[in-house]
Amino acid sequence: VEKFSWDMVFKAVKQELDRDGQVYFLHNRVENIEGVYDRLSRLFPQARIAVAHGQMGVQRLSGTMSKFIKGDIDILLCTTIIENGLDIQSANTLIIDDATSLGLAQMYQIRGRIGREKKQAYAWFFYNQLKGDLALRLSAIKESQALGSGFILSNRDLEIRGAGVILGKEQ
Protein backbone atom coordinates (compact mmCIF):
# COMPACT_ATOMS: atom_id res chain seq x y z
CA VAL A 1 0.00 0.00 0.00
CA GLU A 2 1.69 3.17 -1.16
CA LYS A 3 1.61 6.19 -3.43
CA PHE A 4 1.77 5.29 -7.12
CA SER A 5 5.21 5.19 -8.69
CA TRP A 6 6.29 3.69 -12.01
CA ASP A 7 9.59 2.79 -10.33
CA MET A 8 7.71 0.60 -7.83
CA VAL A 9 5.60 -0.87 -10.65
CA PHE A 10 8.79 -1.76 -12.51
CA LYS A 11 10.26 -3.39 -9.40
CA ALA A 12 7.11 -5.42 -8.67
CA VAL A 13 6.59 -6.61 -12.25
CA LYS A 14 10.27 -7.42 -12.76
CA GLN A 15 10.33 -9.46 -9.56
CA GLU A 16 7.40 -11.58 -10.77
CA LEU A 17 8.68 -11.98 -14.33
CA ASP A 18 12.12 -12.96 -13.01
CA ARG A 19 10.52 -15.92 -11.24
CA ASP A 20 8.60 -16.87 -14.41
CA GLY A 21 5.25 -15.74 -13.03
CA GLN A 22 2.41 -13.68 -14.42
CA VAL A 23 1.07 -10.29 -13.38
CA TYR A 24 -2.39 -8.78 -13.16
CA PHE A 25 -2.14 -5.02 -13.67
CA LEU A 26 -5.52 -3.56 -12.80
CA HIS A 27 -6.29 -0.19 -14.38
CA ASN A 28 -10.02 0.38 -14.06
CA ARG A 29 -10.51 3.08 -16.71
CA VAL A 30 -11.09 1.77 -20.23
CA GLU A 31 -10.84 5.24 -21.76
CA ASN A 32 -7.09 5.49 -21.13
CA ILE A 33 -6.03 1.86 -20.72
CA GLU A 34 -4.11 1.96 -24.02
CA GLY A 35 -1.81 4.66 -22.60
CA VAL A 36 -0.96 2.37 -19.69
CA TYR A 37 -0.39 -0.45 -22.20
CA ASP A 38 2.09 1.76 -24.07
CA ARG A 39 3.94 2.60 -20.84
CA LEU A 40 4.14 -1.05 -19.77
CA SER A 41 5.35 -2.00 -23.27
CA ARG A 42 8.17 0.52 -23.00
CA LEU A 43 9.11 -0.65 -19.48
CA PHE A 44 8.99 -4.34 -20.45
CA PRO A 45 9.71 -4.63 -24.18
CA GLN A 46 10.31 -8.38 -23.94
CA ALA A 47 7.10 -9.11 -21.98
CA ARG A 48 3.94 -10.41 -23.59
CA ILE A 49 1.25 -7.92 -22.56
CA ALA A 50 -2.46 -8.06 -23.30
CA VAL A 51 -5.51 -5.99 -22.40
CA ALA A 52 -8.80 -7.33 -21.02
CA HIS A 53 -11.92 -5.32 -20.19
CA GLY A 54 -15.68 -5.64 -20.38
CA GLN A 55 -16.08 -3.46 -23.47
CA MET A 56 -14.18 -5.96 -25.59
CA GLY A 57 -16.09 -8.41 -27.76
CA VAL A 58 -16.77 -11.80 -26.21
CA GLN A 59 -14.55 -13.68 -28.69
CA ARG A 60 -11.58 -11.36 -28.23
CA LEU A 61 -11.93 -11.30 -24.43
CA SER A 62 -12.27 -15.07 -24.26
CA GLY A 63 -9.21 -15.49 -26.48
CA THR A 64 -7.16 -13.14 -24.34
CA MET A 65 -8.14 -14.91 -21.14
CA SER A 66 -7.38 -18.31 -22.68
CA LYS A 67 -3.89 -17.12 -23.60
CA PHE A 68 -3.34 -15.80 -20.07
CA ILE A 69 -4.49 -19.09 -18.55
CA LYS A 70 -2.10 -21.02 -20.86
CA GLY A 71 0.79 -18.77 -19.82
CA ASP A 72 1.13 -17.10 -23.23
CA ILE A 73 0.71 -13.65 -21.64
CA ASP A 74 3.06 -12.29 -18.97
CA ILE A 75 1.15 -9.17 -17.96
CA LEU A 76 -2.62 -8.90 -18.15
CA LEU A 77 -3.60 -5.22 -18.15
CA CYS A 78 -7.22 -5.36 -17.09
CA THR A 79 -10.18 -3.79 -15.37
CA THR A 80 -12.13 -5.32 -12.50
CA ILE A 81 -13.39 -7.90 -14.98
CA ILE A 82 -10.96 -10.29 -13.27
CA GLU A 83 -12.84 -9.96 -9.99
CA ASN A 84 -14.64 -13.28 -10.17
CA GLY A 85 -13.84 -16.79 -11.20
CA LEU A 86 -10.21 -16.85 -12.28
CA ASP A 87 -7.87 -19.37 -10.70
CA ILE A 88 -4.50 -19.01 -12.38
CA GLN A 89 -1.74 -20.48 -10.25
CA SER A 90 1.14 -18.78 -12.04
CA ALA A 91 -0.32 -15.28 -11.54
CA ASN A 92 1.08 -14.24 -8.17
CA THR A 93 1.45 -10.48 -8.46
CA LEU A 94 -1.42 -8.02 -8.53
CA ILE A 95 -0.90 -4.32 -9.13
CA ILE A 96 -3.81 -1.93 -8.70
CA ASP A 97 -2.68 1.44 -9.98
CA ASP A 98 -5.54 3.41 -8.38
CA ALA A 99 -7.21 1.79 -5.39
CA THR A 100 -9.31 4.91 -4.75
CA SER A 101 -12.07 3.67 -7.03
CA LEU A 102 -12.49 0.30 -5.32
CA GLY A 103 -14.44 -0.62 -2.22
CA LEU A 104 -12.96 -2.72 0.54
CA ALA A 105 -14.86 -5.89 -0.35
CA GLN A 106 -13.90 -5.45 -4.01
CA MET A 107 -10.21 -5.04 -3.12
CA TYR A 108 -10.38 -8.20 -1.02
CA GLN A 109 -12.13 -10.15 -3.77
CA ILE A 110 -9.61 -9.05 -6.42
CA ARG A 111 -6.69 -9.79 -4.14
CA GLY A 112 -8.04 -13.35 -4.01
CA ARG A 113 -7.09 -13.80 -7.69
CA ILE A 114 -3.46 -14.28 -6.65
CA GLY A 115 -1.77 -16.62 -4.22
CA ARG A 116 -3.36 -19.77 -5.63
CA GLU A 117 -0.08 -21.67 -5.51
CA LYS A 118 2.67 -22.33 -3.01
CA LYS A 119 4.63 -19.31 -4.29
CA GLN A 120 4.53 -16.11 -2.26
CA ALA A 121 1.99 -13.72 -3.78
CA TYR A 122 2.20 -9.92 -3.78
CA ALA A 123 -0.62 -7.42 -4.03
CA TRP A 124 0.24 -3.77 -4.58
CA PHE A 125 -2.48 -1.22 -3.83
CA PHE A 126 -1.40 2.14 -5.18
CA TYR A 127 -3.09 5.51 -4.80
CA ASN A 128 -2.40 9.02 -6.02
CA GLN A 129 -4.08 10.88 -3.20
CA LEU A 130 -5.61 9.63 0.03
CA LYS A 131 -9.11 11.02 0.05
CA GLY A 132 -12.31 10.13 1.86
CA ASP A 133 -12.10 6.87 3.77
CA LEU A 134 -9.41 5.41 1.49
CA ALA A 135 -6.76 5.44 4.24
CA LEU A 136 -9.07 3.35 6.45
CA ARG A 137 -9.88 0.93 3.61
CA LEU A 138 -6.23 0.47 2.69
CA SER A 139 -5.29 -0.03 6.33
CA ALA A 140 -7.99 -2.67 6.67
CA ILE A 141 -6.90 -4.55 3.54
CA LYS A 142 -3.28 -4.44 4.69
CA GLU A 143 -4.21 -5.83 8.11
CA SER A 144 -6.29 -8.68 6.67
CA GLN A 145 -3.58 -10.84 5.16
CA ALA A 146 -4.30 -14.07 7.01
CA LEU A 147 -6.16 -16.88 5.30
CA GLY A 148 -9.88 -16.60 6.02
CA SER A 149 -9.78 -13.00 7.21
CA GLY A 150 -12.85 -12.08 5.17
CA PHE A 151 -15.15 -11.98 8.19
CA ILE A 152 -12.82 -9.63 10.06
CA LEU A 153 -12.58 -7.48 6.95
CA SER A 154 -16.35 -7.33 6.57
CA ASN A 155 -16.60 -6.06 10.15
CA ARG A 156 -14.03 -3.35 9.39
CA ASP A 157 -16.03 -2.42 6.29
CA LEU A 158 -19.14 -2.12 8.47
CA GLU A 159 -17.23 0.15 10.87
CA ILE A 160 -15.95 2.33 8.02
CA ARG A 161 -19.15 2.66 5.98
CA GLY A 162 -21.70 2.24 8.75
CA ALA A 163 -24.66 -0.09 8.89
CA GLY A 164 -27.03 2.09 6.90
CA VAL A 165 -30.73 2.39 7.54
CA ILE A 166 -32.84 -0.66 6.78
CA LEU A 167 -36.21 1.02 7.38
CA GLY A 168 -37.21 4.60 6.89
CA LYS A 169 -37.04 7.31 4.27
CA GLU A 170 -33.20 7.29 4.18
CA GLN A 171 -33.31 3.78 2.71
Side-chain angles (χ1 to χ4, degrees):
V1 173
E2 61 185 76
K3 191 167 177 65
F4 182 83
S5 150
W6 279 108
D7 289 338
M8 289 306 297
V9 167
F10 180 80
K11 176 184 168 188
V13 172
K14 183 176 181 336
Q15 176 182 327
E16 188 61 45
L17 296 181
D18 284 350
R19 62 183 192 161
D20 296 321
Q22 293 172 284
V23 176
Y24 289 112
F25 189 107
L26 195 148
H27 177 80
N28 207 28
R29 289 179 303 281
V30 174
E31 65 271 5
N32 60 3
I33 202 165
E34 291 301 323
V36 177
Y37 176 87
D38 292 342
R39 182 74 185 254
L40 287 171
S41 296
R42 286 192 306 273
L43 283 174
F44 301 99
Q46 72 284 17
R48 299 166 296 176
I49 305 169
V51 175
H53 57 76
Q55 294 180 16
M56 295 170 68
V58 174
Q59 296 285 357
R60 185 171 163 218
L61 180 59
S62 179
T64 299
M65 294 313 300
S66 293
K67 287 179 183 178
F68 191 62
I69 290 166
K70 289 182 205 169
D72 295 339
I73 295 171
D74 301 313
I75 304 168
L76 183 66
L77 174 58
C78 56
T79 60
T80 56
I81 197 165
I82 63 161
E83 187 171 1
N84 294 305
L86 296 176
D87 184 3
I88 302 169
Q89 293 185 353
S90 58
N92 285 300
T93 293
L94 166 70
I95 296 169
I96 299 175
D97 68 354
D98 183 12
T100 61
S101 64
L102 304 178
L104 188 51
Q106 193 173 31
M107 283 190 266
Y108 182 74
Q109 178 71 22
I110 292 169
R111 186 179 67 186
R113 298 304 99 215
I114 60 169
R116 302 282 184 152
E117 192 182 66
K118 289 180 173 59
K119 274 187 182 177
Q120 175 68 44
Y122 299 94
W124 296 82
F125 294 90
F126 289 110
Y127 60 88
N128 286 317
Q129 183 180 7
L130 288 174
K131 50 187 170 183
D133 62 5
L134 179 63
L136 295 172
R137 288 184 284 144
L138 290 175
S139 174
I141 198 79
K142 191 173 184 180
E143 292 167 6
S144 64
Q145 295 183 32
L147 185 62
S149 59
F151 180 73
I152 295 166
L153 191 68
S154 67
N155 283 333
R156 284 292 308 273
D157 193 29
L158 183 62
E159 291 170 11
I160 294 168
R161 294 188 308 141
V165 179
I166 295 174
L167 301 172
K169 64 182 180 182
E170 291 87 4
Q171 181 60 23

